[in-house]
Amino acid sequence: MSATDTVSSTSAGSSLLASILSEDSFRPAEPKTIEETGLTSAVIENLILKYVLLMGSAAGRKIADDVCLPFVLVEPIFTSLRQRQLLINSASAQLGDFVYTLTDNGRQRARTAMEQCSYLGSAPVPLEDYIVSVEAQTIRAEAPQKRHLAKAFSDISVEADMFDMLGPAVNSGSGLFLYGAPGNGKTTLARRITMCYGSSIWIPRVLTEDGQFIKLFDAACHEPINEAGTGLLKSAEHDRRWVKIRRPTVVVGGELTLEALEIRHDPVSNVSEASLQLKSNCGCLLIDDFGRQRISPTDLLNRWIIPLENRHDYLTLATGKKIQVPFEQLIIFSTNLQPTDLADEAFLRRIPYKIEVGDPSREEFQTLFKIIAKGLHCEFKPESVDYLIEKHYKRVNRPLRRCQPRDLLNQVRNYCVYNGLPVEMKPEYFDRVVPSYFTVVSGK
């Protein structure tokens, strides 16, 4: 499949821009013509033929649904395929539709298309239309305020000083280092930050550029939102090649490699997978436990030093063509190490906010126990927490960590349930669970 077969000379970019200007928020309008899809008839024909080859036969409306295009748009394509004797009507279907089956010539054409690219599913969206959508939905246009942060962090404990430091960092949409001892909630904070921005965005299921298909939607990173719609948008149809998702928080840890930051191509299927940066656009990309990856911190930081400055990245397609793509997400580095031990001054300058997540105070530790106890339907007993702190923390000079109230109370719950006892915060229950927990966690 050639590049000229993939994207027609008439782009849907102008229609997308018109949609942006006419709506309060970005919404991909349903295409009314093949030209408005930004694709050629040949691309849609190949998707249809491969689908029928796989299914054996299918009704036209079912085919249109599965390639995510309006039936009225693909109906003339069915007519053309019949006229060229690639499809035949094998039966009638409801609403004046037909069940289609491949002819011998159609099967040959479908097999050839399958050998070139085995992708099946939603018709792709041209890269340039995706770029327009990212510009319209960027987190930098959100500028969340204090009330947005308060709502995002409403059900977790965040001390006032930490809250005041996080606010401007989130508002800026720039890079952020969260550092400090393990177990103090850096990952939890990072995940909540995405909630400070607008709740949802639209992304294409699949992109196309230079004849290549690039899968963008990833169920491991993206959470779809069922659209009910309100007001004027309720009756408006959207382009079903796009999916509405919650603003993504893409989390990667020690498994991160440089390959994951590039477009990964499968030479067997001739289908590519989007990079982590593309999947996290308009959201947050959390590099958890930074410094423990299989690649060196220097290599990772060097890979991103220019994109962080210019807000765009360059990726290479399987054809060898380099493409410019948006780099529009909040990059969060969560680490147990000091930022100065991981990066040089040039890179740290591009990550303007470095926030230390310290140990909780005794008062916050009590608050955390109160929150967890409520979730476990257990009566909160502050005197039991005081006993725990005095005996199992102060005597052995053990630091408080924000993860410990949750972990210890869960172990108390497990002990009580196993023994058929009411779940209670008793000092003797803490005495039982502390040795097994801290032997593993800290070796003390």
Short mmCIF file of all heavy atoms in Angstrom, two decimals, residues 411-432:
data_model
loop_
_atom_site.label_atom_id
_atom_site.label_comp_id
_atom_site.label_asym_id
_atom_site.label_seq_id
_atom_site.Cartn_x
_atom_site.Cartn_y
_atom_site.Cartn_z
N GLN A 411 -3.50 -5.78 57.08
CA GLN A 411 -3.03 -7.01 57.72
C GLN A 411 -3.83 -7.31 58.99
O GLN A 411 -4.10 -8.48 59.30
CB GLN A 411 -1.54 -6.90 58.03
CG GLN A 411 -0.66 -6.93 56.78
CD GLN A 411 0.71 -7.52 57.05
OE1 GLN A 411 0.94 -8.13 58.09
NE2 GLN A 411 1.62 -7.33 56.11
N VAL A 412 -4.20 -6.26 59.73
CA VAL A 412 -5.06 -6.46 60.90
C VAL A 412 -6.40 -7.05 60.45
O VAL A 412 -6.92 -8.00 61.07
CB VAL A 412 -5.28 -5.13 61.65
CG1 VAL A 412 -6.43 -5.26 62.65
CG2 VAL A 412 -4.00 -4.71 62.35
N ARG A 413 -6.95 -6.51 59.38
CA ARG A 413 -8.22 -7.03 58.86
C ARG A 413 -8.07 -8.51 58.49
O ARG A 413 -8.94 -9.33 58.83
CB ARG A 413 -8.65 -6.22 57.65
CG ARG A 413 -9.90 -6.77 56.96
CD ARG A 413 -10.10 -6.17 55.58
NE ARG A 413 -11.19 -6.84 54.89
CZ ARG A 413 -11.08 -7.98 54.23
NH1 ARG A 413 -9.92 -8.63 54.20
NH2 ARG A 413 -12.14 -8.51 53.62
N ASN A 414 -7.01 -8.86 57.77
CA ASN A 414 -6.81 -10.24 57.35
C ASN A 414 -6.70 -11.18 58.56
O ASN A 414 -7.25 -12.28 58.57
CB ASN A 414 -5.56 -10.36 56.48
CG ASN A 414 -5.69 -9.61 55.18
OD1 ASN A 414 -6.80 -9.32 54.73
ND2 ASN A 414 -4.57 -9.27 54.57
N TYR A 415 -6.00 -10.72 59.58
CA TYR A 415 -5.85 -11.52 60.80
C TYR A 415 -7.21 -11.75 61.46
O TYR A 415 -7.54 -12.87 61.88
CB TYR A 415 -4.88 -10.82 61.76
CG TYR A 415 -4.83 -11.45 63.14
CD1 TYR A 415 -4.08 -12.60 63.37
CD2 TYR A 415 -5.57 -10.91 64.20
CE1 TYR A 415 -4.06 -13.19 64.63
CE2 TYR A 415 -5.54 -11.48 65.45
CZ TYR A 415 -4.78 -12.62 65.67
OH TYR A 415 -4.76 -13.21 66.91
N CYS A 416 -7.99 -10.67 61.56
CA CYS A 416 -9.30 -10.78 62.23
C CYS A 416 -10.25 -11.68 61.44
O CYS A 416 -10.95 -12.52 62.02
CB CYS A 416 -9.91 -9.39 62.41
SG CYS A 416 -9.03 -8.34 63.58
N VAL A 417 -10.30 -11.50 60.13
CA VAL A 417 -11.20 -12.30 59.31
C VAL A 417 -10.82 -13.78 59.39
O VAL A 417 -11.67 -14.66 59.51
CB VAL A 417 -11.19 -11.80 57.84
CG1 VAL A 417 -11.94 -12.78 56.93
CG2 VAL A 417 -11.82 -10.41 57.75
N TYR A 418 -9.52 -14.06 59.32
CA TYR A 418 -9.05 -15.44 59.38
C TYR A 418 -9.46 -16.11 60.69
O TYR A 418 -9.85 -17.29 60.73
CB TYR A 418 -7.53 -15.48 59.22
CG TYR A 418 -6.93 -16.86 59.39
CD1 TYR A 418 -7.06 -17.83 58.41
CD2 TYR A 418 -6.26 -17.20 60.56
CE1 TYR A 418 -6.53 -19.09 58.57
CE2 TYR A 418 -5.72 -18.46 60.74
CZ TYR A 418 -5.85 -19.41 59.73
OH TYR A 418 -5.33 -20.67 59.90
N ASN A 419 -9.39 -15.35 61.77
CA ASN A 419 -9.69 -15.91 63.09
C ASN A 419 -11.15 -15.72 63.50
O ASN A 419 -11.52 -16.03 64.65
CB ASN A 419 -8.77 -15.29 64.14
CG ASN A 419 -7.34 -15.79 64.02
OD1 ASN A 419 -7.02 -16.90 64.44
ND2 ASN A 419 -6.49 -14.96 63.44
N GLY A 420 -11.98 -15.22 62.60
CA GLY A 420 -13.38 -15.04 62.92
C GLY A 420 -13.64 -13.97 63.96
O GLY A 420 -14.60 -14.07 64.74
N LEU A 421 -12.79 -12.95 63.99
CA LEU A 421 -12.91 -11.88 64.98
C LEU A 421 -13.44 -10.60 64.34
O LEU A 421 -13.24 -10.38 63.14
CB LEU A 421 -11.54 -11.59 65.61
CG LEU A 421 -10.85 -12.76 66.33
CD1 LEU A 421 -9.41 -12.39 66.66
CD2 LEU A 421 -11.63 -13.12 67.61
N PRO A 422 -14.10 -9.71 65.10
CA PRO A 422 -14.47 -8.40 64.56
C PRO A 422 -13.21 -7.62 64.20
O PRO A 422 -12.18 -7.72 64.88
CB PRO A 422 -15.20 -7.74 65.74
CG PRO A 422 -15.59 -8.85 66.65
CD PRO A 422 -14.54 -9.91 66.50
N VAL A 423 -13.30 -6.88 63.11
CA VAL A 423 -12.15 -6.08 62.68
C VAL A 423 -12.05 -4.85 63.58
O VAL A 423 -12.91 -3.96 63.55
CB VAL A 423 -12.29 -5.66 61.20
CG1 VAL A 423 -11.08 -4.82 60.78
CG2 VAL A 423 -12.43 -6.89 60.31
N GLU A 424 -11.00 -4.81 64.40
CA GLU A 424 -10.82 -3.73 65.37
C GLU A 424 -9.37 -3.29 65.40
O GLU A 424 -8.45 -4.06 65.08
CB GLU A 424 -11.23 -4.20 66.78
CG GLU A 424 -12.68 -4.58 66.94
CD GLU A 424 -12.98 -5.01 68.36
OE1 GLU A 424 -13.28 -4.14 69.20
OE2 GLU A 424 -12.91 -6.23 68.64
N MET A 425 -9.16 -2.04 65.80
CA MET A 425 -7.81 -1.50 65.95
C MET A 425 -7.35 -1.72 67.38
O MET A 425 -7.37 -0.80 68.21
CB MET A 425 -7.79 -0.01 65.57
CG MET A 425 -8.02 0.26 64.10
SD MET A 425 -8.07 2.03 63.70
CE MET A 425 -6.44 2.57 64.23
N LYS A 426 -6.93 -2.93 67.72
CA LYS A 426 -6.44 -3.24 69.05
C LYS A 426 -4.92 -3.26 69.07
O LYS A 426 -4.29 -3.72 68.11
CB LYS A 426 -6.98 -4.59 69.51
CG LYS A 426 -8.47 -4.62 69.81
CD LYS A 426 -8.89 -5.96 70.39
CE LYS A 426 -10.35 -5.94 70.82
NZ LYS A 426 -10.75 -7.24 71.43
N PRO A 427 -4.31 -2.78 70.16
CA PRO A 427 -2.85 -2.81 70.25
C PRO A 427 -2.27 -4.20 70.03
O PRO A 427 -1.24 -4.35 69.35
CB PRO A 427 -2.58 -2.30 71.67
CG PRO A 427 -3.73 -1.42 71.97
CD PRO A 427 -4.91 -2.08 71.32
N GLU A 428 -2.92 -5.23 70.60
CA GLU A 428 -2.38 -6.58 70.45
C GLU A 428 -2.42 -7.07 69.00
O GLU A 428 -1.60 -7.89 68.59
CB GLU A 428 -3.11 -7.57 71.36
CG GLU A 428 -4.62 -7.64 71.16
CD GLU A 428 -5.38 -6.73 72.11
OE1 GLU A 428 -4.84 -5.66 72.44
OE2 GLU A 428 -6.50 -7.11 72.51
N TYR A 429 -3.38 -6.55 68.21
CA TYR A 429 -3.42 -6.93 66.79
C TYR A 429 -2.23 -6.30 66.04
O TYR A 429 -1.63 -6.94 65.18
CB TYR A 429 -4.73 -6.48 66.16
CG TYR A 429 -5.96 -7.21 66.67
CD1 TYR A 429 -7.24 -6.75 66.36
CD2 TYR A 429 -5.85 -8.35 67.45
CE1 TYR A 429 -8.38 -7.40 66.82
CE2 TYR A 429 -6.97 -9.01 67.93
CZ TYR A 429 -8.24 -8.52 67.60
OH TYR A 429 -9.35 -9.18 68.06
N PHE A 430 -1.92 -5.04 66.39
CA PHE A 430 -0.74 -4.41 65.78
C PHE A 430 0.53 -5.17 66.16
O PHE A 430 1.44 -5.34 65.34
CB PHE A 430 -0.64 -2.94 66.19
CG PHE A 430 -1.60 -2.04 65.48
CD1 PHE A 430 -2.46 -1.20 66.20
CD2 PHE A 430 -1.67 -2.01 64.10
CE1 PHE A 430 -3.35 -0.37 65.55
CE2 PHE A 430 -2.56 -1.17 63.43
CZ PHE A 430 -3.40 -0.35 64.16
N ASP A 431 0.61 -5.63 67.42
CA ASP A 431 1.78 -6.39 67.84
C ASP A 431 1.96 -7.66 66.99
O ASP A 431 3.09 -8.09 66.74
CB ASP A 431 1.64 -6.79 69.31
CG ASP A 431 1.81 -5.60 70.27
OD1 ASP A 431 2.40 -4.59 69.84
OD2 ASP A 431 1.35 -5.69 71.42
N ARG A 432 0.86 -8.23 66.57
CA ARG A 432 0.94 -9.46 65.77
C ARG A 432 1.38 -9.20 64.34
O ARG A 432 2.12 -9.99 63.75
CB ARG A 432 -0.42 -10.18 65.77
CG ARG A 432 -0.74 -10.89 67.08
CD ARG A 432 -2.03 -11.67 66.95
NE ARG A 432 -2.29 -12.45 68.15
CZ ARG A 432 -1.81 -13.67 68.38
NH1 ARG A 432 -1.02 -14.24 67.46
NH2 ARG A 432 -2.09 -14.33 69.49
#
